[in-house]
Amino acid sequence: MLRHQSKPLVRVDAELKKIVREMFDLMYEANGVGLAANQVDLPMRLFIVNAMGKPDEGEEYVFINPVVSKPKGTDEKEEGCLSLPGFYGEVTRPARIHVSAYNLEGEELEADLEGLLARVVQHETDHLDGVLFIDRLSTTASMDMEPPLSQMQNQYEERVRHGDAPDEDAVAERLAEWENNYC
Ligand code: ZN
């Protein structure tokens, strides 16, 4: 799922709004500041952000079909990812960006972002294209991560073999169903 190219979302209904609420709960539980739909096995272009990472602080944003443009400057900072627990690395990204998207009410959202928000929006938009922050590390840093990552992959395959995680066919079937309904 983390390598899945997510499809534009064309429909918002009560069920999707409920799922987005659950995504916020999950993100706060994991002390995250952003979460993309494919991190919770959903194939549509949607992610959520709260730069404060707490339910009673900061502002909750839902980005649907986001488009990032006008990158300016560069900034290097450590990133992690809720889908890759225990992995951290320095990632260089544009320091400032423009983003346009829709919210759950179908309203257009346009913003010039910098700092943490710019970074989170880029990290989450990457997710929707199947790109992970580990793909953007320096060669040395990514070589260091290779052994623990293969180990994680092996553990996952082991779980699939034992029926503790759905196999590829089951995942594909579920994806097709979501895409039929929402994309
Ligand atoms: Zn992530």
Side-chain angles (χ1 to χ4, degrees), residues 5-181:
Q5 177 75 38
S6 302
K7 297 228 167 76
L9 178 70
V10 298
R11 198 164 80 93
V12 173
D13 60 9
E15 192 190 356
L16 189 77
K17 287 185 178 174
K18 190 169 150 258
I19 288 169
V20 168
R21 196 58 251 158
E22 287 165 0
M23 282 175 69
F24 274 110
D25 295 342
L26 194 70
M27 180 182 85
Y28 294 135
E29 238 168 74
N31 294 313
V33 289
L35 187 68
N38 60 327
Q39 293 182 272
V40 291
D41 294 342
L42 299 172
M44 56 288 259
R45 299 186 77 80
L46 177 154
F47 64 78
I48 59 167
V49 174
N50 179 345
M52 296 303 284
K54 293 201 175 74
D56 43 3
E57 278 177 52
E59 195 83 46
E60 292 185 342
Y61 297 102
V62 179
F63 289 81
I64 292 170
N65 302 340
V67 177
V68 170
S69 60
K70 300 180 196 161
K72 289 191 188 75
T74 54
D75 181 36
E76 190 186 68
K77 281 239 159 49
E78 189 179 72
E79 289 187 23
C81 179
L82 296 184
S83 297
L84 299 167
F87 291 87
Y88 299 94
E90 296 286 322
V91 182
T92 303
R93 297 186 185 272
R96 294 180 299 284
I97 54 159
H98 181 81
V99 63
S100 52
Y102 292 91
N103 65 16
L104 275 179
E105 279 66 51
E107 297 157 346
E108 227 170 312
L109 184 157
E110 298 271 350
D112 292 302
L113 302 177
E114 58 181 3
L116 181 62
L117 265 180
R119 181 164 293 272
V120 177
V121 164
Q122 291 177 81
H123 176 116
E124 301 307 330
T125 303
D126 269 356
H127 268 304
L128 303 183
D129 294 319
V131 175
L132 298 169
F133 83 91
I134 50 172
D135 303 329
R136 298 193 180 278
L137 299 174
S138 68
T139 321
T140 11
S142 76
M143 272 163 63
D144 288 346
M145 254 176 224
E146 201 43 55
L149 273 174
S150 324
Q151 200 188 352
M152 195 172 136
Q153 178 79 26
N154 290 341
Q155 282 166 351
Y156 175 71
E157 282 162 11
E158 188 78 359
R159 283 173 57 213
V160 172
R161 266 198 299 279
H162 285 96
D164 298 330
D167 65 16
E168 259 178 62
D169 289 347
V171 171
E173 204 175 302
R174 230 183 126 258
L175 277 189
E177 210 171 291
W178 282 108
E179 285 178 352
N180 272 341
N181 285 337

